[in-house]
């Protein structure tokens, strides 16, 4: 009897000693990778319930395949001991469905979808367990150069860059998802026609980011952010120095950087300690000095905020310069208004940054002019823009899923 | 009685294994991949050496891909000579079979780091065979196939899901990773949109001995610009560095490759400093930045992302992402020298 107790104690100790990687289930790893290699259009590959320890990245190149688990809390692919592969799963096939499983603790990105048409990611969780830290992988869900993307009911936790990151893509819907304890919760970058709605972003460094970076395959355009909850994204920035998100101040709610045609409406944005809304140009990121070609437009044009419910926040901005600016203009106990604009403008041209949210004053940090004339100035932003259209996804199957 | 039955069952099997003569010429498997390497008729053992079977031509390349200091024995078999396309690639006929055997000087798991002499035969007693990769051109296109060698070096078995081979290189333990079938496309599908595979080393610009390839009937004469041998220290630094990047990076970092998402183009056709990384911010490098702001800072390799990623062995940070567990010290030194020699800076 006593020996049984001793034995079970030992087992518990082993299970709880988080440092050591669990033994790789090589038989399952080979079986799953072989199924991915053999997959034909229409196939469903199931991941049984349980935690499966893998040490090499998986890849799916076939079109029309579904990978289906028993639930994001039940079917777990754990990469704690990963020795090879820049991601947990890379998908290069078209019309792929990933649903009801989790990818944990990859050494690089969790799930990357590269250069495909048609991907649905439903009820999938990507997570770096334990403390959110710089050593965690960069991206949780990472479709890049994809067309027709539906991310629905996903959960992304602990990414050292963005939990949900859609880059250089076309026709994108991100909804009903939750991003927490990432540097960037949800990031839409150089993407054309994206709808981001009914998501929750909290406890990230920045909640929802819309970025346009220089000299990529396409500039971003037409992004709608609506009906999301974006609150208390106050986590200390733990991004890798040098990455674009490393310059995001802790306590950023919705951030628009160098992106054109963004409509943000009907969101609850609150209690983000630097500012609930930040609108900026690449010049005030840490890449102001980088070379980019003349064709790159560094200014955010036609940005339209309306009907958002804003409260709290702006009371404890991150970083010495922002702290000093807040104290200088609003006093020790004051707070930034809801909207922070870096003030970079294309000469005298009106960039049409329109803010119609109730109670949303706009603070112009006048960075373009060495902050000599920092001020609250709402008048230039009292404008309206035409509404953007709804995103439609290419395939009939995906459109049906949207209804 | 039962015992005799068992023996008599085993005997024919064992004999079958020994007597099925390995083919004495290359065999084109038009549909399926055989379970063992010997069925291709590419390599055979002769007087203690692994040698090419007649009908296969050995070759070496000018700008090889670094693979954890493995030596490589390369062969190509063609049904008829391939013509040279405008870009220097070869228009191989269906039935072409290219092989690359990865091996090390040493024995068992203990292997040594030495320069690859591009030998046309491998002495088995003094070398450890790891894997043989095949690219075969079928009607539908190029297919990749990987075989992992048995410990006794008598045969290699098809291993579609890849493998991890623990090795010790001059006393340092590392995991040699045999790629899975999809990962072959990670390098050989240089156009991420079409996803079509094609050979990277068996091209006119890469052949180090074009004359031999013409004489042996692998290719027809043609006009093309050869890639430089980046190990040739008599060549200008820029030429060597660009050849290294072409051979080790451009299969992904080209204008239509899987890494065009980064905006970094390291192919020989790249002409602007910006696409080659000068003062270019990272896009999705994650831990790969090493804390640096730009891919290349002229004159300052210590502040450049490119050599940082080349010198990393963290799979989440390193470049290339696949195909190595160790650092190519000479390659890193070459790229650092190249960056050191650049003039200018990234301060505006």
């Amino acid at each position: 009897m006593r020996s049984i107790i001793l034995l079970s104690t030992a087992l518990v100790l082993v299970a709880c000693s988080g440092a050591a990687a669990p033994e790789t289930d090589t038989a399952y790893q080979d079986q799953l990778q072989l199924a991915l290699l053999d997959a034909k259009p229409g196939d469903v590959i199931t991941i049984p319930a349980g935690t499966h320890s893998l040490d090499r990245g998986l890849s799916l190149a076939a079109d029309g395949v579904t990978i289906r688990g028993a639930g994001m809390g039940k079917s777990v692919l754990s990469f704690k001991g990963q020795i090879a592969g820049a991601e947990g799963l890379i998908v290069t096939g078209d019309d792929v469905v990933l649903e009801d499983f989790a990818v944990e603790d990859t050494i690089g990105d969790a799930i990357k979808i590269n250069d495909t048409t048609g991907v649905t990611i439903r009820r999938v969780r990507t997570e770096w367990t334990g403390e959110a830290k710089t050593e965690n992988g960069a991206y949780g869900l990472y479709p890049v150069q994809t067309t027709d993307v539906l991310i629905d009911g996903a959960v992304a936790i602990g990414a050292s860059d963005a939990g949900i990151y859609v880059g250089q893509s076309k026709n994108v819907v991100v909804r009903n998802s939750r991003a927490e304890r990432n540097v960037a919760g949800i990031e839409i970058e150089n993407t054309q026609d994206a709808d981001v709605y009914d998501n929750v972003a909290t406890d990230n460094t920045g909640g929802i980011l819309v970025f346009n970076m220089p000299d990529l395959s396409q500039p971003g355009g037409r992004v709608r952010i609506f009906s999301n909850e974006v609150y208390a994204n106050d986590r200390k920035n733990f991004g890798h120095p040098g990455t674009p998100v490393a310059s995001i101040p802790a306590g950023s709610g919705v951030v628009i950087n160098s992106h054109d045609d963004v409509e943000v409406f009907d969101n609850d944005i609150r209690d983000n300690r630097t500012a609930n809304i930040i609108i900026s140009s690449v010049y005030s990121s840490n890449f102001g000095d980088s070379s980019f070609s003349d064709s790159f437009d560094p200014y955010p044009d036609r940005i339209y905020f309306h009907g958002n419910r804003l409260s709290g926040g702006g009371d404890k901005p991150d970083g010495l310069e922002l702290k000093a600016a807040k104290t200088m203009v609003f006093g020790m106990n004051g707070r930034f208004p809801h909207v922070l604009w870096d003030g970079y403008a294309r000469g005298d041209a009106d960039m049409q940054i329109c803010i119609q949210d109730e109670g949303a004053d706009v603070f112009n940090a006048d960075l373009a002019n060495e902050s000599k004339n920092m001020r609250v100035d709402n008048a230039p932003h009292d404008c309206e823009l035409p509404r953007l259209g709804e995103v439609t996804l290419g395939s009939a199957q995906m459109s049906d899923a949207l209804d | 009685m039962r015992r005799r039955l068992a023996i008599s069952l085993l005997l024919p099997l064992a004999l079958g294994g020994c007597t099925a003569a390995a083919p004495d010429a290359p065999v084109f498997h038009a549909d399926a991949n055989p379970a063992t390497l010997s069925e291709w008729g590419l390599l055979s053992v002769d007087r203690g050496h692994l040698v090419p079977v007649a009908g296969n031509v050995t070759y070496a390349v000018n700008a090889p891909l670094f693979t954890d200091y493995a030596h490589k024995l390369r062969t190509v078999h063609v049904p008829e000579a391939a013509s040279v396309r405008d870009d220097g690639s070869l228009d191989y006929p269906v039935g072409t079979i290219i092989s690359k055997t990865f091996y090390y000087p040493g024995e068992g798991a203990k292997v040594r780091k030495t320069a690859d002499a591009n030998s046309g035969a491998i002495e088995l007693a003094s070398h450890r065979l790891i894997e043989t990769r095949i690219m075969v051109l079928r009607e539908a296109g190029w297919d990749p196939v990987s075989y992992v060698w048995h410990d006794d070096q008598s045969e290699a078995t098809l291993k579609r899901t890849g493998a991890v081979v623990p090795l010790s290189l001059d006393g340092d333990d590392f995991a040699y990773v045999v790629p899975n079938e999809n990962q072959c496309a990670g390098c050989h599908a240089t156009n991420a949109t079409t996803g079509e595979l094609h050979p990277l080393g068996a091209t006119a610009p890469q052949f180090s001995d074009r004359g031999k390839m013409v004489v042996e009937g692998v290719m027809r004469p043609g006009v093309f610009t050869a890639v430089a041998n980046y190990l040739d220290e008599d060549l200008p630094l820029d030429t060597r560095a660009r050849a290294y990047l072409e051979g080790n990076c451009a299969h992904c970092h080209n204008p239509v490759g899987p890494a065009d998402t980064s905006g970094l183009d390291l192919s020989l056709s790249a002409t602007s400093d910006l696409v080659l990384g000068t003062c270019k911010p990272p896009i999705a490098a994650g831990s790969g930045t090493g804390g640096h702001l730009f891919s290349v800072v002229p004159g300052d390799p210590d502040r450049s992302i490119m050599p940082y990623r080349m010198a990393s062995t963290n799979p989440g940070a390193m470049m290339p992402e696949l195909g190595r567990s160790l650092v190519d010290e000479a390659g890193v030194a070459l790229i650092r020298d190249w960056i050191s020699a650049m003039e200018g800076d990234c301060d505006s």
Side-chain angles (χ1 to χ4, degrees):
Chain A
M1 187 62 198
R2 194 174 157 209
S3 63
I4 290 174
I5 291 172
L6 277 176
L7 192 66
S8 58
T9 310
L11 281 171
V12 168
L13 282 174
V14 168
C16 293
S17 66
E23 195 172 335
T24 302
D25 186 347
T26 42
Y28 180 71
Q29 177 163 276
D30 279 3
Q31 179 197 330
L32 178 56
Q33 182 57 62
L34 195 60
L36 295 171
L37 293 173
D38 285 337
K40 305 263 180 312
D43 283 1
V44 176
I45 294 168
T46 54
I47 301 174
T51 297
H52 311 282
S53 292
L54 311 181
D55 68 357
R56 285 183 289 150
L58 300 164
S59 55
L60 171 66
D63 298 338
V65 174
T66 295
I67 302 178
R68 179 181 297 155
M72 67 161 76
K74 291 186 177 141
S75 297
V76 178
L77 303 176
S78 169
F79 288 86
K80 217 164 208 163
Q82 189 172 8
I83 58 165
E87 51 278 306
L89 168 65
I90 182 160
V91 175
T92 52
D94 295 336
D95 300 317
V96 164
V97 177
L98 310 177
E99 58 190 13
D100 298 307
F101 64 93
V103 171
E104 291 183 356
D105 297 319
T106 53
I107 197 154
D109 306 317
I111 300 178
K112 181 175 181 178
I113 323 287
N114 194 354
D115 203 336
T116 73
T117 298
V119 59
T120 300
I121 301 174
R122 252 193 307 255
R123 301 177 301 272
V124 167
R125 175 172 56 92
T126 59
E127 179 168 3
W128 284 269
T129 58
E131 268 303 291
K133 54 186 183 299
T134 306
E135 293 70 35
N136 291 353
Y139 298 123
L141 297 172
Y142 178 17
V144 61
Q145 290 190 2
T146 47
T147 301
D148 299 331
V149 179
L150 172 58
I151 296 177
D152 195 355
V155 173
I157 297 171
S160 68
D161 201 302
I164 298 173
Y165 170 95
V166 182
Q168 302 171 58
S169 292
K170 290 182 170 129
N171 306 339
V172 174
V173 173
V174 178
R175 65 175 190 179
N176 303 323
S177 297
R178 183 176 181 89
E180 58 182 294
R181 304 208 302 273
N182 310 283
V183 174
I186 300 171
E187 182 174 5
I188 307 294
E189 187 170 278
N190 291 68
T191 287
Q192 297 174 356
D193 298 297
D195 277 352
V196 178
Y197 59 94
D198 292 342
N199 302 287
V200 175
T202 186
D203 199 12
N204 306 285
T205 301
I208 299 180
L209 280 56
V210 184
F211 268 48
N212 194 38
M213 293 289 289
D215 303 309
L216 295 180
S217 59
Q218 64 178 38
R222 298 174 306 281
V223 174
R224 302 195 308 163
I225 310 284
F226 58 99
S227 306
N228 301 284
E229 272 194 86
V230 185
Y231 63 95
N233 290 285
D234 292 345
R235 181 166 287 272
K236 184 176 185 303
N237 194 319
F238 61 101
H240 289 274
T243 55
V245 297
S247 61
I248 300 295
S252 301
V254 173
V255 183
I256 316 289
N257 188 266
S258 294
H259 204 288
D260 294 348
D261 298 301
V262 184
E263 183 180 359
V264 184
F265 59 100
D266 198 26
N267 299 283
D268 287 296
I269 311 174
R270 62 179 188 272
D271 299 331
N272 299 287
R273 66 180 166 99
T274 290
N276 284 326
I277 297 166
I278 297 177
I279 300 168
S280 59
S281 126
V282 73
Y283 293 121
S284 64
S285 72
N286 56 3
F287 293 108
D289 288 344
S290 63
S291 42
F292 39 76
S293 62
D294 294 340
S295 60
F296 177 67
D297 166 20
Y299 303 103
D301 295 283
R302 295 176 302 282
I303 309 298
Y304 188 19
F305 280 76
H306 58 95
N308 297 294
R309 292 166 293 280
L310 309 174
S311 63
D315 50 331
K316 285 171 69 181
D318 184 24
L320 284 177
E321 288 177 28
L322 286 169
K323 277 194 185 85
K326 192 216 74 170
T327 305
M328 192 188 304
V329 181
F330 303 97
M332 285 291 284
N333 299 317
R335 55 175 64 208
F336 276 140
H338 289 305
V339 184
L340 198 57
W341 177 42
D342 66 2
Y344 281 99
R346 193 188 291 107
D348 292 332
D350 180 7
M351 302 191 309
Q352 295 179 284
I353 298 175
C354 302
I355 313 289
Q356 291 293 339
D357 293 335
E358 202 174 306
D361 288 339
V362 179
F363 178 66
N364 180 346
D366 198 28
L367 290 180
N369 200 17
E370 291 169 350
S371 298
K372 283 177 185 149
N373 187 18
M374 293 189 288
R375 62 199 183 273
V376 173
D377 189 359
N378 297 335
H381 307 289
D382 184 11
C383 51
E384 293 184 32
L385 288 165
R387 307 285 302 268
L388 297 177
E390 185 182 347
V391 168
T392 52
L393 299 178
S395 79
Q397 198 185 348
M398 291 178 80
S399 298
D400 290 349
L402 274 185
D403 294 334
Chain B
M1 186 60 199
R2 280 177 74 162
R3 192 166 155 218
R4 276 183 63 185
L5 184 65
I7 290 171
S8 61
L9 263 173
L10 275 174
L11 212 55
L13 279 174
L15 280 173
C18 293
T19 52
D24 56 5
V27 178
F28 172 50
H29 297 272
D31 301 310
N33 297 319
T36 56
L37 175 64
S38 59
E39 292 167 73
W40 287 94
L42 306 178
L43 300 161
S44 65
V45 175
D46 183 13
R47 281 163 287 180
H49 288 70
L50 188 73
V51 296
V53 169
N56 299 283
V57 179
T58 61
Y59 67 95
V61 299
N62 288 322
L65 178 74
F66 173 77
T67 316
D68 288 344
Y69 300 97
H71 294 203
K72 296 164 185 177
L73 169 63
R74 302 175 180 84
T75 71
V76 55
H77 158 74
V78 289
E80 59 186 69
S83 54
V84 183
R85 299 196 190 96
D86 289 344
D87 63 359
S89 67
L90 295 173
D91 191 7
Y92 286 111
V94 169
T96 296
I97 309 167
I98 298 169
S99 84
K100 183 154 72 165
T101 298
F102 295 69
Y103 68 102
Y104 290 88
E107 209 178 311
K110 293 190 184 343
V111 297
R112 293 190 306 279
K113 188 194 294 188
T114 63
D116 187 357
N118 292 311
S119 169
I122 305 169
E123 187 189 54
L124 293 173
S126 57
H127 291 86
R128 166 73 195 270
L129 305 177
I130 309 291
E131 58 164 330
T132 296
R133 302 181 192 168
I134 290 176
M135 292 267 290
V136 55
L137 183 53
R138 295 177 166 136
E139 285 292 345
W142 290 97
D143 278 333
V145 201
S146 257
Y147 293 85
V148 174
W149 282 90
H150 300 181
D151 288 344
D152 68 5
Q153 317 216 98
S154 64
E155 179 63 282
T157 305
L158 180 66
K159 196 77 173 91
R160 299 179 58 207
T161 55
V164 175
V165 182
L167 293 177
S168 171
L169 185 74
D170 291 340
D172 292 330
D173 292 346
F174 78 101
Y176 181 101
V177 179
V178 177
N180 74 43
E181 207 173 274
N182 278 345
Q183 289 170 330
C184 299
C187 292
H188 287 273
T190 56
N191 181 324
T193 307
T194 66
E196 286 173 7
L197 280 70
H198 59 89
L200 294 169
T203 67
Q206 276 280 22
F207 284 139
S208 57
D209 187 346
R210 269 87 63 194
K212 174 185 175 183
M213 291 297 120
V214 172
V215 170
E216 296 275 5
V218 173
M219 61 181 267
R220 300 204 186 99
V223 180
F224 53 87
T225 309
V227 185
N229 173 357
Y230 58 72
L231 295 174
D232 183 352
E233 296 186 4
D234 292 335
L235 294 173
L237 194 53
D238 187 63
T239 305
R240 293 177 59 206
R242 292 295 301 273
Y244 184 87
L245 298 175
E246 167 75 15
N248 283 275
C249 315
H251 45 267
C252 288
H253 283 284
N254 71 68
V256 293
D260 63 347
T261 54
S262 68
L264 194 65
D265 177 8
L266 302 176
S267 67
L268 277 179
S269 59
T271 51
S272 94
D273 289 342
L274 176 58
V275 301
L276 281 162
T278 299
C279 303
K280 183 199 160 302
I283 301 301
S287 59
T289 66
H292 309 313
L293 292 176
F294 306 112
S295 299
V296 170
V297 178
D300 203 343
D302 289 334
R303 288 172 57 216
S304 300
I305 294 171
M306 189 186 289
Y308 174 81
R309 302 194 80 169
M310 289 172 63
S312 171
T313 54
N314 170 352
M318 70 186 196
M319 283 289 157
E321 290 179 342
L322 284 177
R324 71 171 179 94
S325 300
L326 301 173
V327 175
D328 182 4
E329 304 288 353
V332 172
L334 173 61
I335 296 306
R336 288 182 59 90
D337 287 350
W338 179 58
I339 292 172
S340 292
M342 291 179 185
E343 291 179 4
D345 57 49
C346 297
D347 305 323
S348 61

